[in-house]
Amino acid sequence: MKRILSLALVLALTLSLCGCGRFVSILPGTEADVGATAAPVTEDEIAAAGDAFEEAPLLSFLSLDDFAASYYEQTPAALGYQPVLNGAAGCMAYVFDRASIIAACDTLRAMTVTGRAEGSDTDTRTYVLTMADGTAYTFTFAALEDGGWAVRSYTGDWAVSGGEALWDMPFPAYSGDFDVFDLYFSDDVRAFADNFYTNTPVSVGLRASSGVTETSEDPDAIVRAFEALKAASVIVVENEPDQHVDVTQQREYIFTMADGTAYSFAFAQRCLAVTANAAFGPVYYWLDGTDTLWNVAIEADSGAASFEGGTVADLRADIAAAAAAADGEGEDEIMNVFVEYDIDGETGYISLDGSVADDFMRGVAAVDVAGELAEDTTGDTFTVFVTLTVSVGPIIYFAGDTVQQLVGVNYVCDGGAMSELRAEVLRLAADYGTSNVGVDGS
């Protein structure tokens, strides 16, 4: 009898402090009054009952039996994962395929709470199951000194067994298993990528922020655009796009097949914007390797910066036009200047507007571009994207003391002015920048 009373006390404590819904005991030989409200439990009662704790299924322990019984029919729309290592939080990455989500739910249901534990405050893993209606179930696990894990709840940290399948699950930004096409979690997009060379699109189109779509049927342009997408990789998932992504800076690449089927890949600034589940909404991925895609020449794309296919004089004219907008000359004004940089080992991006953007573009215009081709393009890199109110602003690629005209064609810049410009980028990054470096979740 004493053992049964102690067990009842522990169950009452769990119901009282973890009340996320009805708690229905699944332990054999016990009954639960689901309509009753548990009385508050004192610290002395917790200590007295501690030795009587018996192992319990994780989802029952967290009062999630209803969820455990329904997730096959009402499968979550998304599964998110965010690690914290050494106190540094990584991005929240997502998977959307039903097989992975069901596997995660199965693993959570199979996990067992074994007793109290003291988890780490610096190393945790958080998993979030988001339903189609926006309801979210969050599970945070804290690392233990013995290599195990504890679930974090209102009543403290509790050691758990099982979970290996969840720990080993791959997520974008934390696993090399994902390419750009995998981010869509679509069989059609995956088949498009896998069959590209045997079922090649008949055209590739580029729709910029202006809304005008320019199309090329050049086989070389089609292949180059596809291979640039294929080679790109996820740097980090942007969890605060409303703060860090200017969605008005848009580029959309559209591959059209012979039967009229179209596959679209949309960017906001340098982020690939992917909606894998309509109920969940778009996810923004910062990609590495998009320079090659940006430099694919789409036929008749006269609205794009002319330096991508023109002369050094065109490049100078583009930069001068942006500087003129900064000075208030003509109808154009600078809406935004976005800078992606890799300087002195620091990697990140900056979004500038107002007088700060104007001043920065004046500094860019002050860099003299020589007429000679550069032999050495090594060194720190940064890319400047300019959004204008009337015309399409230039995209300017700097590498070392050079500026890019075409892929593989760079012109020499004044070294002193470039040093000052790089220093200015780092200075602005301290005030306006955001680090691109994610946390390794391995």
Side-chain angles (χ1 to χ4, degrees), residues 193 229 271 277:
L229 274 171
C271 286
N277 184 292

Side-chain angles (χ1 to χ4, degrees), residues 139-215:
F139 304 83
T140 297
F141 299 94
L144 301 177
E145 291 184 358
D146 63 2
W149 294 88
V151 66
R152 188 150 282 173
S153 76
Y154 294 113
T155 58
D157 292 347
W158 297 81
V160 294
S161 63
E164 287 76 12
L166 193 59
W167 316 147
D168 294 339
M169 187 171 293
F171 288 84
Y174 298 107
S175 169
D177 293 345
F178 293 84
D179 64 17
V180 164
F181 308 106
D182 290 324
L183 302 176
Y184 291 82
F185 293 90
S186 164
D187 291 339
D188 288 343
V189 174
R190 186 68 262 170
F192 159 78
D194 292 342
N195 301 323
F196 178 86
Y197 295 104
T198 57
N199 187 21
T200 305
V202 296
S203 69
V204 59
L206 171 61
R207 179 183 296 126
S209 300
S210 64
V212 177
T213 302
E214 303 294 350
T215 303

